[in-house]
Structures are given as structure tokens and as C-alpha cells.
């Protein structure tokens, strides 16, 4: 089955928000609202379509690493959304690969995300804390879930805490809160 991955266009807005909402279930409307709110910030989205229908979406948005030497612009991968009835068909994998290449081509030194180390680890991501990075929500982000891909432009001094745009904080979407945080932490501790 072939898919077309392409940059998100303004005309895709409703389809993208629909796919995000469906992919995230009970939290879908909140995640879609965050992506929509990021429209006023530097961001890039990619969609995957088949036969003119959007099946999935991945978002890339601006963030910063608060390094000792300087503030370093980076990208954050979030959200990754695949229409539920099309999951496990390679749509997410294709979107992650395209997002990594888009970030690499933008010239940023690092791409970050918060997500499953099992899923993203197979797609080139590694624990960010082992590379000298701290998550934006120190107490609410399980370390194995905070991941990165470093690119050619990364220099050793470019480490520190990741800073999200205000939108993430306005939606209280940096890291997790209990009881979900406790459950995820327990699952990830078992993997570590």
C-alpha cells in the first residue's frame, strides 16, 4: 500500500484536527486544540494521505534548549496521529521518518519528543537525559519517555533544559499528571 507524505496545507486544517481528535480518544479534543493553538508559533505539519484522504498527521514545533552558552532553537515532534482504523499499517512509521528528515533539513541540531521508548526507539530516538538534556516538566516527564535525535549541527555544549512555547503550559500539556503519570512511570520502570 502506498502513501503520500506531504506538508500540511491550510486547507487540511479540519481533516488534521479530526485525525488528531480520533487518534487520541478521550484526550483528542485537547490535543487537537494544542496543535491548532500552535498555529501562531513557528511550526510545520506533515500529513499522509491515500486517495485524497488524510490518514495521519505529525506536528513539528519550535522549542529551545536553555544551554549555558546560548538559547538553542530545536524542534519538538508532537502530536503524532493516525486514524484509528489505519493504525499498524506503517502510517505512523512513515510520518516519523518524514518528520525526522524535515527536522534534519531545517538545520536544527536536535529533535525532541515525549513518548513510548519502545515505539520511538525503533525509529532512531534515544533517551535525551543520557545526552545531557532535561525535560520541560522535570517532575512530570518519565526520563525514558523524554527522547531525542541529534543531527549534524549538534555541538557538545548544546545541552540543558528543553523549553516549550507557552501554548504547552497554557494547556497544561507538558509532561503528565497523576494518576496517568504514576501508571506510565510504572510501565516505563519495568522496561528500564
Amino acid at each position: 500500500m502506498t502513501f503520500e507524505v506531504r506538508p500540511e496545507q491550510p486547507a487540511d486544517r479540519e481533516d488534521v484536527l479530526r485525525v488528531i481528535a480520533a487518534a487520541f480518544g478521550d484526550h483528542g479534543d485537547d490535543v487537537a486544540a494544542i496543535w491548532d493553538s500552535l498555529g501562531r508559533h513557528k511550526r510545520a505539519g506533515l500529513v499522509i494521505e491515500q486517495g485524497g484522504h488524510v490518514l495521519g498527521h505529525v506536528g513539528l514545533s519550535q522549542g529551545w534548549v536553555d544551554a549555558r552558552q546560548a538559547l538553542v532553537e530545536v524542534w519538538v515532534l508532537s502530536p503524532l496521529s493516525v486514524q484509528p482504523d489505519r493504525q499498524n499499517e506503517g502510517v505512523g512509521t512513515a510520518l516519523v521518518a518524514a518528520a525526522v528528515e524535515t527536522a534534519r533539513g531545517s538545520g536544527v541540531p536536535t529533535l525532541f519528543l515525549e513518548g513510548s521508548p519502545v515505539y520511538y526507539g525503533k525509529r532512531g530516538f534515544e533517551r535525551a537525559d543520557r545526552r545531557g538534556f532535561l525535560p520541560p516538566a522535570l517532575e512530570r516527564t518519565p526520563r525514558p519517555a523524554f527522547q531525542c535525535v541529534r543531527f549534524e549541527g549538534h555541538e557538545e555544549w548544546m545541552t540543558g533544559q528543553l523549553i516549550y512555547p507557552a501554548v504547552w503550559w497554557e494547556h497544561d500539556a507538558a509532561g503528565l499528571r497523576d494518576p496517568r503519570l504514576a501508571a506510565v512511570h510504572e510501565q516505563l520502570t519495568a522496561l528500564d
Side-chain angles (χ1 to χ4, degrees):
M1 199 169 290
T2 59
F3 307 112
E4 177 191 353
V5 179
R6 62 171 175 76
E8 177 184 348
Q9 301 298 316
D12 296 321
R13 180 178 178 269
E14 293 305 317
D15 286 337
V16 165
L17 297 178
R18 176 188 47 75
V19 168
I20 293 171
F24 282 87
D26 292 344
H27 303 286
D29 290 338
D30 295 333
V31 177
I34 293 167
W35 180 250
D36 208 28
S37 296
L38 278 166
R40 62 182 186 263
H41 298 280
K42 188 173 182 182
R43 71 172 195 167
L46 300 169
V47 298
I48 195 163
E49 68 178 9
Q50 187 177 47
H53 299 287
V54 173
L55 307 177
H57 169 267
V58 65
L60 295 167
S61 59
Q62 180 185 43
W64 303 267
V65 168
D66 189 13
R68 289 179 64 136
Q69 186 173 326
L71 200 60
V72 180
E73 182 178 332
V74 295
W75 285 97
V76 176
L77 186 157
S78 183
L80 172 64
S81 310
V82 177
Q83 198 170 290
D85 64 340
R86 299 305 298 267
Q87 293 177 1
N88 300 311
E89 294 180 13
V91 174
T93 298
L95 284 166
V96 171
V100 168
E101 290 312 307
T102 298
R104 182 188 316 276
S106 77
V108 297
T110 314
L111 173 63
F112 292 92
L113 62 78
E114 293 178 31
S116 166
V118 174
Y119 182 83
Y120 290 102
K122 294 175 185 175
R123 288 153 182 85
F125 285 82
E126 61 181 331
R127 280 184 59 160
D129 65 331
R130 293 183 176 158
R131 296 298 182 183
F133 299 108
L134 296 171
L138 291 172
E139 297 300 319
R140 294 186 291 118
T141 306
R143 295 304 186 265
F146 179 53
Q147 300 166 73
C148 69
V149 173
R150 296 179 305 159
F151 300 123
E152 296 76 24
H154 182 267
E155 297 180 33
E156 290 306 311
W157 64 266
M158 296 177 176
T159 60
Q161 187 169 9
L162 176 62
I163 307 298
Y164 284 158
V167 170
W168 293 99
W169 303 101
E170 291 163 3
H171 287 268
D172 194 16
L176 300 170
R177 294 212 182 266
D178 283 334
R180 191 166 174 227
L181 173 59
V184 169
H185 190 268
E186 186 176 314
Q187 291 171 343
L188 293 178
T189 300
L191 295 174
D192 210 17

